[in-house]
Amino acid sequence: MQSDMSIFPRRESEVRGYIRNWPTVFDTSKGSWIRDENGRDYLDFFAGAGSLNYGHNNPIFKEALIDYISRDGITHALDMATMAKRDFLGAIEDRLLTPRNLDYKVQFPGPTGTNAVEAALKLARKVTGRESIISFTNAFHGMTLGSLSVTGNSMKRAGAGIPLVHATPMPFDNYFDGVSEDFHWFSRVLDDSGSGLNKPAAVIVETVQGEGGINVARPEWLRALAELCADRDILMIVDDVQMGCGRTGGFFSFEEAGITPDIVTLSKSIGGYGLPLALTLFKSELDVWTPGEHNGTFRGNNPAFITATAALNTYWSDDVLEKDTLRKGELVREQLQNVADTLPGLSTRGRGLAQGLRFEQADYAAKVCRAAFEAGLLVETSGPSDEVVKLLPALTTTDEELSHGLSILAESVAKVMA
Ligand code: PMP
């Protein structure tokens, strides 16, 4: 049966996106599965673009949320003190900061990833008194003007309608396929008084570029970047909106490199249940905000605090999830590599449960996603030419579900390339 989708093109703006790739009307979801109104089940390897690391409607969080709503727990509270917020800050301290020896203050900047990035950029500028930010090729940090100015994609940038200024892109790791020495350009222009580069306030970097095509920065590259920043009194911002919350293994994606960024942004899966929530974390000594200097109406999403606390307490009191994510990541990687080995023009990339299959002929990737949808699997493309099929399954996806999805993907690749 075909769903009636006529109201969407009639009433919803042309800007709509994912709805075009997955043309059906969804209704319910559970774990790694999402069901449309006709009762057809799809295995979801996109997980809300990384917002559903613990699966759809995780039963543990759902119970906590229902209890909270049933007892008339506060839903909206600006940034007032609530029990839900106190418990959440306590969980951040106990589950995330203390075990990792991190001393971050927590800012609630408004509920989306781009809000967290905007706050990070403003704070870096305020702390240093400098205005320019270094970003990286193929970076993605959000759609508001500040975060768009540090985003690479030319189509998205053009949407700003005004010049995007005070940001300078540098080559991300392996941009020159290993041909040019790491940081040769960056450290050279920083130290050359004739280069024309203003001393930046900060660099903003993703450890694995999600939207940019699952480009993985090597730990040694990240360490060199951290060192370069520390040596020159430049703040290092890690945007962990997509790769944080366990996506690459450890809770923070930078843990593997053994670095401590000055500022960290989190959103997407921090709320646990898919409810909007974002955080900007920064070293205590950088907390130069004056009260109310950066505010916003929706900084106290208390139902999201409840599910976020449940997520931290359930999944981050030990290293079981972290180890399992690394193991599952290997499993996915091996099966993707098998696909890449049998057909020309394919390669794999990724870390943890952020994995990608890259097509030399870019338009194959979207065709594969379409074929996968028809066969009951949700996957999306990423990369500057949409040449990478990106896999972001929930971290709670079972081995059987992973194998099932990967076999659909393999069949879809074979079908498209036949
Ligand atoms: N930073 C990164 C690394 C992201 O992947 C995204 C979203 N894809 C954002 C920021 C922006 O988050 P939001 O869409 O919630 O504004």
Side-chain angles (χ1 to χ4, degrees), residues 100-292:
R100 292 168 183 78
N101 208 11
L102 294 168
D103 174 29
Y104 286 139
K105 294 287 280 289
V106 180
Q107 179 179 2
F108 298 97
T112 70
T114 198
N115 297 135
V117 171
E118 294 289 345
L121 300 179
K122 272 173 79 171
L123 184 68
R125 287 174 169 134
K126 182 166 182 186
V127 166
T128 60
R130 297 175 222 133
E131 62 195 24
S132 103
I133 307 283
I134 299 293
S135 58
F136 290 94
T137 49
N138 290 308
F140 186 99
H141 298 291
M143 288 296 104
T144 50
L145 291 179
S147 56
L148 194 51
S149 72
V150 288
T151 291
N153 185 292
S154 55
M155 183 268 271
K156 301 268 197 290
R157 290 178 69 87
I162 56 164
L164 295 171
V165 293
H166 310 311
T168 308
M170 289 288 160
F172 190 71
D173 191 16
N174 210 30
Y175 191 61
F176 296 107
D177 296 323
V179 172
S180 182
E181 198 188 324
D182 295 322
F183 297 118
H184 194 65
W185 171 251
F186 188 17
S187 50
R188 184 70 174 265
V189 292
L190 271 176
D191 294 340
D192 179 355
S193 61
S195 71
L197 184 80
N198 294 333
K199 183 169 181 184
V203 305
I204 182 164
V205 66
E206 299 153 271
T207 63
V208 178
Q209 294 182 324
E211 305 303 320
I214 310 289
N215 305 318
V216 181
R218 289 164 300 148
E220 55 268 34
W221 185 87
L222 289 167
R223 280 194 289 274
L225 179 63
E227 224 168 88
L228 181 148
C229 287
D231 287 350
R232 289 168 178 78
D233 188 28
I234 298 165
L235 297 175
M236 182 180 195
I237 305 169
V238 167
D239 182 351
D240 238 359
V241 164
Q242 186 162 153
M243 293 302 152
C245 304
R247 176 51 61 187
T248 66
F251 184 88
F252 295 107
S253 72
F254 53 80
E255 286 173 45
E256 192 199 6
I259 58 170
T260 304
D262 299 293
I263 306 178
V264 181
T265 56
L266 287 174
S267 185
K268 292 198 189 270
S269 279
I270 188 64
Y273 203 64
L275 296 171
L277 185 64
L279 309 177
T280 308
L281 312 178
F282 36 83
K283 290 180 176 168
S284 292
E285 67 268 24
L286 302 180
D287 194 7
V288 298
W289 291 118
T290 53

